[in-house]
Amino acid sequence: MQLTPEQFAACTRCQPTVAAVWVSHINPQLTRWKIDTPARVAGFLAQMSHESARFTRFTEGLNYSAEGLANTWPGRYSVNPNAAVKVPNDLAKSIARNPEAIANHTYANRMGNGDVASGDGWRYRGRGPKQITGLENYTRLSKDVGVGFVNNPDWLLQPRYGALSAAWYWDWKQCNQLQDAGDFKAVTKAINGGLIGYDQRLELLENAKRVLEVV
């Protein structure tokens, strides 16, 4: 199915001007990745709208305070990860409010990235509506769709490639099948890795289903 700008805006609760830009890039990807029933489209739009703050945020926000680092990644940045109140360690204090340093330390030696000095954490920070993160995922995406995102990671900030990466990720995680089964919690875990923001995602899903008249 193909969405009108009005349907896209209503489903995602984004601004009409945003919908006018994104719908022309989303529609071809719905066809390409067989997100082709109202239920599948509703699930996809609900997840991506939540992930991207209604299609307004396409790069990872990493401007954490020391306290924010300790609470978000206590194993790395808290003096005592098991304490009820997380106290920032010296590393957290030294890199606080420095997004590049935070990315390089947080994502070092993970997701295919090199060490802190490699700069891979910052180079391959989250981008696009789905926040593709890590050299491993950039490499997989590039190979699967035939576009060189490894050497051009900022391309994911463009709507045409952001739409492509979001639909590719949905397909990679077999979300069509999960959505067909009506298991939106499983869809959320596939997209998010957990159930963060599940209530808001579910509310967006029910809204999109009403717009698209999903029975």
Side-chain angles (χ1 to χ4, degrees), residues 3-5 8 18-28:
L3 297 163
T4 66
F8 187 92
V18 172
V21 171
W22 276 89
V23 71
S24 63
H25 299 287
I26 289 288
N27 274 332

Side-chain angles (χ1 to χ4, degrees), residues 5 8-10 12-22 53-56:
F8 187 92
T12 64
R13 292 184 169 160
C14 73
Q15 293 297 313
T17 52
V18 172
V21 171
W22 276 89
R54 311 298 186 267
F55 285 85
T56 63

Side-chain angles (χ1 to χ4, degrees), residues 81-158:
N82 298 316
V85 177
K86 306 296 189 291
V87 177
N89 60 21
D90 289 342
L91 177 57
K93 294 175 184 177
S94 71
I95 64 175
R97 300 301 183 190
N98 184 335
E100 184 169 352
I102 289 170
N104 285 333
H105 279 85
T106 302
Y107 296 137
N109 302 307
R110 297 172 56 200
M111 300 178 288
N113 292 340
D115 61 14
V116 173
S118 73
D120 284 349
W122 178 250
R123 186 175 300 110
Y124 300 114
R125 65 192 182 279
R127 292 181 180 85
K130 175 50 201 77
Q131 299 286 300
I132 303 300
T133 309
L135 174 57
E136 184 175 74
N137 285 337
Y138 277 78
T139 300
R140 182 189 293 269
L141 170 62
S142 297
K143 181 179 179 181
D144 285 356
V145 303
V147 179
F149 296 114
V150 171
N151 293 325
N152 303 280
D154 279 339
W155 284 359
L156 288 181
L157 302 179
Q158 300 176 25

Side-chain angles (χ1 to χ4, degrees), residues 164-185:
L164 169 61
S165 67
W168 165 82
Y169 195 91
W170 175 272
D171 178 78
W172 174 32
K173 296 299 182 178
Q174 300 183 324
C175 291
N176 276 335
Q177 295 89 321
L178 296 173
Q179 190 69 39
D180 288 349
D183 193 346
F184 197 63
K185 281 191 174 180

Side-chain angles (χ1 to χ4, degrees), residues 43-80:
F44 175 74
L45 292 180
Q47 292 290 349
M48 296 311 156
S49 181
H50 185 274
E51 290 283 316
S52 65
R54 311 298 186 267
F55 285 85
T56 63
R57 184 182 64 224
F58 306 110
T59 188
E60 187 173 9
L62 290 160
N63 188 28
Y64 288 90
S65 66
E67 291 74 18
L69 288 169
N71 282 287
T72 305
W73 293 285
R76 288 176 176 266
Y77 300 121
S78 177
V79 172
N80 182 356

